[in-house]
Amino acid sequence: MRKAGLFGVILVLLLPLCVIAGEKNPWEKKLPFKHGTINYTISGMENGSEITYIRDYGREVATYHTTKTTMMGMTMVNETVDIDTPEWSYHFDLTEGTGTKNVNPEKYMIEEYNKLSRAEQKRVSENGEKMGVSVAEGFGGKVQQNAKEILGYSCDRTEMMGSVVYSIHGSGLPLLVETNMMGMNMKIEATSVDKGRVADSFFQFPQGIEPVFDQQSDAVAREMARQTIAMLKDPESGEKRRGPAMQGQQKQMSPEDQEQMQQAMEMLKGMFGNQPQQ
């Protein structure tokens, strides 16, 4: 697992707490429409378009991304397809002809949350509501709910790690993304939302590409989900129980993955460890 992938998992696990904390299960979120096709324009360091297809209120999402990047007189084409289901997340690079698959990190969060008693779920939601803003601040970010209306939808604003994202309120689905990191700028902006039914063909794998399962990424996502819920339920005891389980997981990882996993869990500890309890 590469560093970007690891911190992507962290954001998937924690960002729902920032904008929909207090829900019955923050990771079982729904869009305000059952089906949808969203068209985006992309400009900046990449130029092109993106189309996102949505089914079952966002439980299934397929994104087709086509851009060109010109650097030092050379133009590179980037064509990718990402398909997310409640069980799996698939990524296909059409330019390279490769594909990967990982268990959807949200699946593990939902499973861990549903294992809790009603009282524990309430405590997790209440702690999450208090911690949500501090989680974002732990990444140097800010969260503002219902900050702007885009294409008729009220959007939450999340500023984090050099990016500003406007997502449909309570859903995490972005309609506008503006990034400025190390002098590189990119803007992804939705231009239309069509709520018509979506064809099955958009959720089929690209022809000739078989996705490869990344077992180490799966182990990381599973353990981080378990630790995140444990820390939300009881930050102090969650940290005490972390050691033995982490050691078992790390033995199965490469040295690079072990280091990144340790950094991620220390980040969780820092954000959750000093929060007040109910």
Side-chain angles (χ1 to χ4, degrees):
M1 175 183 288
R2 294 294 171 259
K3 192 168 186 178
L6 175 60
F7 285 97
V9 170
I10 296 174
L11 296 180
V12 167
L13 300 186
L14 300 182
L15 275 181
L17 296 172
C18 302
V19 294
I20 52 177
E23 295 291 331
K24 182 178 180 181
N25 188 324
W27 294 273
E28 289 185 324
K29 52 188 181 293
K30 286 187 175 182
L31 290 170
F33 44 84
K34 186 173 183 179
H35 309 286
T37 300
I38 306 177
N39 287 276
Y40 298 86
T41 59
I42 301 174
S43 59
M45 63 180 182
E46 292 185 47
N47 289 277
S49 63
E50 187 171 280
I51 305 177
T52 294
Y53 301 97
I54 294 164
R55 298 196 301 193
D56 195 13
Y57 297 99
R59 286 170 57 83
E60 295 181 318
V61 178
T63 300
Y64 288 71
H65 178 101
T66 303
T67 58
K68 292 183 179 180
T69 304
T70 301
M71 295 182 64
M72 301 179 65
M74 297 181 61
T75 299
M76 295 172 287
V77 177
N78 180 27
E79 290 187 87
T80 62
V81 176
D82 291 281
I83 300 174
D84 291 320
T85 72
E87 297 288 330
W88 296 96
S89 292
Y90 303 91
H91 174 75
F92 300 94
D93 187 324
L94 303 187
T95 306
E96 299 292 335
T98 59
T100 59
K101 70 175 183 178
N102 298 285
V103 174
N104 190 331
E106 291 183 349
K107 175 179 182 290
Y108 289 137
M109 295 301 293
I110 293 170
E111 288 179 353
E112 292 297 325
Y113 184 90
N114 289 339
K115 290 177 184 177
L116 303 176
S117 67
R118 287 186 178 273
E120 289 171 334
Q121 289 179 353
K122 181 180 179 182
R123 190 180 311 128
V124 165
S125 294
E126 289 174 348
N127 282 343
E129 192 168 6
K130 292 182 178 181
M131 296 177 189
V133 173
S134 67
V135 167
E137 290 175 346
F139 288 94
K142 300 176 182 178
V143 176
Q144 181 183 355
Q145 296 191 42
N146 298 307
K148 184 176 184 177
E149 184 172 298
I150 300 176
L151 298 176
Y153 295 95
S154 180
C155 293
D156 301 321
R157 182 183 188 274
T158 304
E159 181 179 349
M160 190 175 296
M161 303 173 79
S163 295
V164 176
V165 180
Y166 289 91
S167 303
I168 294 178
H169 175 63
S171 73
L173 179 70
L175 294 183
L176 176 62
V177 180
E178 297 175 310
T179 301
N180 185 348
M181 297 181 67
M182 297 182 292
M184 294 183 292
N185 301 305
M186 188 164 71
K187 182 177 182 179
I188 305 175
E189 184 174 14
T191 58
S192 66
V193 177
D194 181 347
K195 293 184 286 187
R197 185 174 292 274
V198 176
D200 292 342
S201 59
F202 295 116
F203 289 84
Q204 296 176 358
F205 295 166
Q207 188 173 4
I209 303 178
E210 185 67 27
V212 177
F213 178 56
D214 187 339
Q215 192 166 0
Q216 289 187 349
S217 295
D218 178 63
V220 171
R222 183 188 294 272
E223 181 60 20
M224 288 187 65
R226 193 185 70 81
Q227 294 295 340
T228 301
I229 292 294
M231 289 182 182
L232 282 169
K233 183 176 68 173
D234 187 348
E236 291 185 5
S237 63
E239 167 58 20
K240 291 177 182 178
R241 292 192 298 268
R242 183 171 68 94
M246 283 293 298
Q247 291 174 6
Q249 291 289 345
Q250 288 182 346
K251 288 180 181 179
Q252 305 173 22
M253 301 177 189
S254 67
E256 179 186 5
D257 289 338
Q258 290 180 26
E259 180 182 358
Q260 292 179 17
M261 182 67 162
Q262 186 65 35
Q263 290 174 353
M265 297 315 299
E266 288 300 321
M267 188 178 298
L268 290 178
K269 175 185 174 183
M271 288 187 287
F272 293 153
N274 298 318
Q275 296 293 330
Q277 296 299 294
Q278 297 296 312

